[in-house]
């Protein structure tokens, strides 16, 4: 059996949509960032500040590998997860990668309203600064994200039955899609 990995820019809604799709299929949902925070007993923001991004990325890689070995899980990963080590390959070998896209300005507005601490945006106090940072991330990460099995915009995810039809085009017959509601 396989997993579905949701990837994309920070704030695009990976966790929100991954949870909705997991509910749609009646399978488990996991948020990689939340799992890291639970295991470490502290926010990712704190880990970035005290031990640095490299240590975070090592921990992230190890937990991703652990989750990739599970079955029937829809997993939301951090925006940078596919961009480090062999993480994208691990995800692609153990399931289907879904790259969620949205207008950068829309993401910027969501991030501005989101009061959680996001390490990459700690110096961005206005929507224009957030949008600028998102544009920079997009330029770096889009070539990696675009290697996903499925590339979909947020609007298309609002109708799960249409998304699942598209997903089926990229999956093998033994994939757990036949268990969908």
């Amino acid at each position: 059996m396989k997993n579905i990995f949701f990837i994309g820019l920070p704030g695009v809604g990976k966790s929100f949509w991954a949870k909705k799709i997991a509910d749609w299929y009646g399978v488990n949902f996991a948020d990689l960032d939340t799992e890291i925070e639970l295991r470490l007993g502290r926010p990712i923001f704190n880990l970035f500040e005290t031990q640095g991004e490299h240590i975070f990325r090592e921990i992230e890689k190890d937990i991703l590998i652990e989750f990739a070995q599970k079955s029937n899980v829809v997993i939301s990963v951090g925006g940078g997860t596919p961009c480090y080590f062999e993480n994208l390959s691990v995800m692609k070998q153990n399931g289907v990668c879904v790259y969620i896209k949205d207008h950068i300005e829309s993401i910027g507005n969501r991030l501005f309203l989101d009061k959680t601490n996001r390490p990459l945006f700690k110096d961005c106090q206005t929507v224009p600064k957030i949008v600028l940072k998102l544009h920079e991330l997009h330029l770096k990460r889009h070539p990696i994200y675009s290697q996903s099995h499925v590339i979909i915009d947020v609007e298309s995810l609002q109708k799960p039955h249409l998304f699942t039809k598209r997903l089926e085009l990229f999956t093998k017959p033994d994939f757990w899609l036949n268990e969908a509601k």
Side-chain angles (χ1 to χ4, degrees), residues 10-78:
V12 75
K14 297 179 297 287
S15 297
F16 175 83
W17 290 109
K19 174 76 171 111
K20 278 201 170 291
I21 296 300
D23 290 346
W24 171 262
Y25 285 124
V27 297
N28 292 323
F29 161 74
D31 182 298
L32 196 65
D33 285 348
T34 299
E35 186 64 28
I36 292 167
E37 290 182 342
L38 287 172
R39 291 186 187 193
L40 296 178
R42 61 184 166 152
I44 290 171
F45 188 86
N46 179 266
L47 180 64
F48 260 71
E49 286 188 338
T50 60
Q51 294 184 288
E53 183 177 5
H54 181 72
I55 297 298
F56 166 74
R57 296 297 177 193
E58 288 283 345
I59 294 166
E60 177 183 58
K61 174 189 68 160
D62 294 342
I63 296 175
L64 173 67
I65 290 169
E66 177 187 325
F67 270 86
Q69 294 170 359
K70 296 178 184 280
S71 295
N72 297 338
V73 183
V74 179
I75 304 165
S76 170
V77 302

Side-chain angles (χ1 to χ4, degrees), residues 128-150:
K129 286 185 180 180
I130 293 170
V131 168
L132 181 62
K133 180 67 174 178
L134 285 167
H135 277 291
E136 292 170 6
L137 288 173
H138 182 262
L139 286 173
K140 290 179 189 173
R141 295 178 177 180
H142 178 73
I144 296 163
Y145 293 165
S146 63
Q147 296 174 45
S148 296
H149 298 102
V150 177

Side-chain angles (χ1 to χ4, degrees), residues 66-155:
E66 177 187 325
F67 270 86
Q69 294 170 359
K70 296 178 184 280
S71 295
N72 297 338
V73 183
V74 179
I75 304 165
S76 170
V77 302
T81 305
C83 306
Y84 293 88
F85 307 106
E86 297 297 318
N87 292 347
L88 183 62
S89 293
V90 166
M91 290 185 280
K92 289 176 77 172
Q93 291 168 6
N94 291 283
V96 176
C97 288
V98 177
Y99 169 22
I100 303 176
K101 294 173 67 174
D102 198 3
H103 301 285
I104 290 179
E105 291 74 18
S106 297
I107 300 170
N109 286 322
R110 271 196 300 279
L111 285 174
F112 182 73
L113 296 173
D114 180 7
K115 299 306 176 196
T116 59
N117 289 320
R118 294 180 181 260
L120 296 179
F121 297 92
K122 68 179 180 181
D123 297 327
C124 303
Q125 303 301 319
T126 65
V127 173
K129 286 185 180 180
I130 293 170
V131 168
L132 181 62
K133 180 67 174 178
L134 285 167
H135 277 291
E136 292 170 6
L137 288 173
H138 182 262
L139 286 173
K140 290 179 189 173
R141 295 178 177 180
H142 178 73
I144 296 163
Y145 293 165
S146 63
Q147 296 174 45
S148 296
H149 298 102
V150 177
I151 300 172
I152 194 160
D153 57 64
V154 169
E155 292 84 19

